[in-house]
Amino acid sequence: MKRLVVVAMVMGMVLTFASTAPAADEYRIGAIYASTGPASALGLPEKNTTEMLVEELNAAGGINGKQVKLFMYDTEADPTKANNAVKKLISLDEVDVIIGPTTSGVTMAIIPPIEKAKIPLISCAASVKIVQPVKKWVFKTPQTDTMAVEKIYATLQSKGIRKVSIITVSDGYGDSGRVELQRLAPDYGLTVVADERYGGNDTDMSAQLTKIKGTDAEAIVCWGTFPGPAVIAKNRKQLGLTIPLYNSHGIASPKYIELAGDAAEGTFLPAGRLIVIDSLPDSDPQKSVLSAYKAAYEGKFGKNSVSTFGGHAYDAFKIAVMAIENAAKAGDVTRAGIRDEIEKITGFVGTGGIFNYSAEDHNGLTKEGFGMVEIKNGGWSLAQ
């Protein structure tokens, strides 16, 4: 009897692995996003976008006649859950490439197993630490926090502002942004006169803003994702602070306006062109790509639902597909072959800008992909 049980267990394992082995007529793409939890305002549009693109691609015949099979897991912005998902994608699902995750801290946490397994990763998170120094198997699609800081500081400099206060969230995204805000301030003739932190789950930042109010700061720069920046916008208004508030590109979602309400009016952020399409001239090289993505997304998920975060997933998925196509042409659709083809991609017009990857640059974008956006009348507007 015991022998029969053992035999049955072995047969079960064989059947399990056989059922998950890649079929000859499919390519496998893995995706991990924070589609629930504290970063869901970022991760849910990424999940929606990826599912939509897979459906569109397979309906059009797939890649060279092969269907794309998507394996997707929810990280809830938790590094442990993300690491478990990566293990499944690598060993059980046997995917060819992984896109995501959503946040910088989680991306940094999964880089060791990604490098150990030698599988290409295209992150949708912002921190410059993800790609600097360059890591052979790791790429990303959003502009770096370095570029966002440069865009904000260049704007402050053009307005004659010399003293700035910063307030950053205590997580991987905020830590990386804070380093760049401190490091780059002298390059733009700026002095950081206040340096405040807050927790990702904090619900009142009045104490930090009261300290800032007591300084001679001429502007506030907030670095965080939801819900912190919306709370800060509300507290700023409640305290009667009139100096301008600039946010990072981590709030480029309708969720910020929804959470902050009228306190969002007149606040600023650097953002990709996706949320200000109507302000772009027809000659803009990204306009047709942005318009098509926005129409498809909002046609499926509702008016005014598009955000730059879904755009990061759009770019990552398109880059992954392009790399698989090129690897197939080269006769090397292996993880190494796909990695090599990602690194060769140049001139790709995405939602975040025009990507030019190289062995020295695994982000492929410049700060010119950013515009300075102002919240006006409950919507996005290119700042003058």
Side-chain angles (χ1 to χ4, degrees):
M1 183 64 184
K2 185 176 179 181
R3 185 177 179 186
L4 286 174
V5 171
V6 171
V7 170
M9 289 176 64
V10 171
M11 290 183 67
M13 291 176 65
V14 170
L15 288 172
T16 298
F17 284 101
S19 66
T20 58
D25 60 349
E26 69 183 24
Y27 293 115
R28 294 188 164 199
I29 294 179
I32 49 172
Y33 301 123
S35 52
T36 65
S40 60
L42 289 63
L44 185 57
E46 294 171 347
K47 171 182 178 289
N48 290 342
T49 295
T50 306
E51 289 176 333
M52 180 182 78
L53 292 177
V54 170
E55 185 179 329
E56 289 177 357
L57 180 64
N58 285 336
I63 301 175
N64 301 326
K66 292 187 178 183
Q67 295 286 285
V68 167
K69 189 169 183 178
L70 177 66
F71 295 83
M72 186 154 55
Y73 297 101
D74 180 8
T75 69
E76 301 177 40
D78 182 319
T80 301
K81 291 181 179 177
N83 265 301
N84 290 336
V86 166
K87 290 176 185 173
K88 289 180 184 175
L89 290 171
I90 292 171
S91 301
L92 185 59
D93 303 326
E94 299 183 48
V95 300
D96 301 303
V97 55
I98 298 174
I99 57 178
T102 303
T103 61
S104 296
V106 171
T107 299
M108 296 305 293
I110 66 167
I111 285 175
I114 289 290
E115 292 185 311
K116 183 178 180 182
K118 298 182 179 179
I119 184 168
L121 173 78
I122 309 174
S123 171
C124 295
S127 174
V128 68
K129 294 179 181 177
I130 296 168
V131 290
Q132 291 185 16
V134 171
K135 300 162 187 69
K136 181 176 180 179
W137 297 91
V138 181
F139 301 80
K140 69 191 288 296
T141 53
Q143 285 95 345
T144 64
D145 36 22
T146 304
M147 297 172 196
V149 171
E150 289 174 337
K151 184 67 178 180
I152 293 172
Y153 278 177
T155 301
L156 298 183
Q157 188 180 46
S158 72
K159 293 178 180 296
I161 289 174
R162 309 297 293 271
K163 296 179 180 178
V164 64
S165 57
I166 64 174
I167 179 166
T168 54
V169 65
S170 297
D171 63 14
Y173 180 68
D175 294 345
S176 182
R178 180 171 178 253
V179 168
E180 296 306 292
L181 287 164
Q182 292 172 326
R183 183 178 70 84
L184 293 170
D187 294 351
Y188 292 85
L190 291 163
T191 301
V192 177
V193 297
D195 180 4
E196 299 292 331
R197 308 300 308 271
Y198 68 92
N201 295 319
D202 289 355
T203 57
D204 188 342
M205 276 67 107
S206 298
Q208 295 95 322
L209 291 170
T210 298
K211 290 181 183 176
I212 290 172
K213 192 175 182 180
T215 71
D216 55 355
E218 300 167 277
I220 304 169
V221 180
C222 170
W223 216 263
T225 55
F226 306 106
V231 175
I232 288 168
K234 286 183 174 180
N235 290 159
R236 166 180 170 265
K237 184 176 181 181
Q238 291 160 354
L239 291 170
L241 264 167
T242 56
I243 56 176
L245 172 61
Y246 288 80
N247 285 287
S248 74
H249 49 330
I251 64 156
S253 160
K255 193 72 174 177
Y256 171 69
I257 300 174
E258 175 192 328
L259 293 175
D262 60 2
E265 287 292 310
T267 62
F268 301 89
L269 70 150
R273 291 173 168 79
L274 179 60
I275 59 176
V276 288
I277 295 174
D278 295 339
S279 303
L280 300 178
D282 291 340
S283 58
D284 188 292
Q286 286 182 261
K287 188 163 187 174
S288 61
V289 171
L290 297 170
S291 299
Y293 168 57
K294 181 181 179 182
Y297 190 92
E298 295 192 346
K300 196 172 182 70
F301 300 104
K303 188 177 180 183
N304 298 325
S305 59
V306 79
S307 75
T308 60
F309 302 105
H312 300 330
Y314 174 97
D315 294 339
F317 183 80
K318 292 287 185 178
I319 288 166
V321 169
M322 197 182 311
I324 292 172
E325 288 175 337
N326 292 337
K329 290 176 186 174
D332 184 19
V333 192
T334 62
R335 291 171 176 173
I338 293 169
R339 189 221 75 89
D340 291 348
E341 294 300 333
I342 294 173
E343 198 169 77
K344 294 176 186 175
I345 289 174
T346 59
F348 165 62
V349 180
T351 69
I354 300 174
F355 287 81
N356 291 291
Y357 286 123
S358 69
E360 295 77 29
D361 184 357
H362 281 195
N363 183 200
L365 293 175
T366 67
K367 67 177 184 298
E368 279 65 42
F370 275 135
M372 185 55 69
V373 174
E374 181 179 4
I375 314 299
K376 291 177 73 174
N377 301 317
W380 314 103
S381 176
L382 271 178
Q384 300 301 312

